Amino acid sequence: MSDITIHEGDEYTAIFHGGPFDGTTDTRTATSDALDDEVTVFADVEGLQTAFTYRATKSRQVLDQTSVEFTYEPGESDPVDDLADRGDRSGEFDRVEPRAAALHGHMQLDLWTSAFCAPCAAARRVSAEASALVPGLAVTERDVASYPDDAEDLGIRSTPTIIVRREDGSEVFRSPGVPTRDQLLLAIAKAL
């Protein structure tokens, strides 16, 4: 896309074109030494968390200010025209299959996120994959802004943070950042 120099932790301005965020901007923080090629922005549409994907198309740097233009990718985003086709996912992360829970024990995965956190989308995907593969895994997502006291008590210093607990509540795994699916599955196995 360009030869712009950016480092992990640097801020840049994202300018969105098309889709529901058309004409809006957001200050983002680089999560590596490169600009994001793609971002996923989440919004609540009729009670369902909806993912909107935007792809970087242009970037520029003027003095110390960097901006990236992102264009809406409807084919890679959740459909919004017919929400009935998507099904109701509102309780997706809270499901526990009673028979499986009895067989495998109950495990808890706490996913701590924040608004406009690009890596949080990847953490959601990894958590959802683990939930689909491990019967009896209860996944709860919490926004640090909505639960600041709990986040402070638990020592949440960055988002995303994933905590896996045994049935008795004891912590067996903590990942600030996004673990791989295999790392997360190994941690869940330790919780059994």
Side-chain angles (χ1 to χ4, degrees):
M1 186 173 48
S2 75
D3 296 335
I4 292 177
T5 301
I6 195 162
H7 301 286
E8 183 176 352
D10 289 352
E11 289 187 344
Y12 67 93
T13 301
I15 304 165
F16 297 103
H17 298 288
F21 294 93
D22 185 40
T24 63
T25 62
D26 179 32
T27 300
R28 302 187 64 84
T29 303
T31 57
S32 67
D33 287 342
L35 293 168
D36 293 321
D37 291 328
E38 176 183 290
V39 296
T40 302
V41 185
F42 291 88
D44 185 35
V45 178
E46 294 186 14
L48 296 177
Q49 187 174 36
T50 305
F52 298 100
T53 302
Y54 286 80
R55 195 165 309 285
T57 55
K58 182 178 176 184
S59 62
R60 73 176 144 257
Q61 190 168 26
V62 178
L63 298 175
D64 63 341
Q65 300 293 316
T66 302
S67 64
V68 180
E69 295 188 23
F70 291 92
T71 301
Y72 177 56
E73 295 287 333
E76 296 179 31
S77 301
D78 287 339
V80 292
D81 292 331
D82 191 357
L83 293 174
D85 289 345
R86 292 174 49 198
D88 181 6
R89 298 180 308 174
S90 59
E92 176 177 316
F93 287 127
D94 297 326
R95 83 171 171 270
V96 175
E97 298 170 15
R99 183 171 170 269
L103 291 173
H104 299 286
H106 180 77
M107 295 149 289
Q108 177 66 41
L109 185 151
D110 297 325
L111 172 59
W112 288 88
T113 60
S114 59
F116 300 106
C117 160
C120 290
R124 269 186 209 96
R125 275 192 303 276
V126 170
S127 298
E129 288 175 14
S131 177
L133 293 171
V134 180
L137 176 64
V139 179
T140 303
E141 181 175 346
R142 290 188 178 92
D143 188 303
V144 293
S146 299
Y147 299 92
D149 294 337
D150 293 338
E152 185 175 335
D153 291 346
L154 290 169
I156 306 297
R157 301 284 179 249
S158 63
T159 58
T161 294
I162 293 176
I163 300 173
V164 176
R165 301 177 186 282
R166 288 191 177 98
E167 187 173 13
D168 65 3
S170 60
E171 184 177 316
V172 295
F173 177 77
R174 179 181 289 239
S175 173
V178 183
T180 66
R181 184 186 66 185
D182 292 341
Q183 289 171 328
L184 186 55
L185 291 173
L186 180 60
I188 291 167
K190 287 181 183 180
L192 293 174

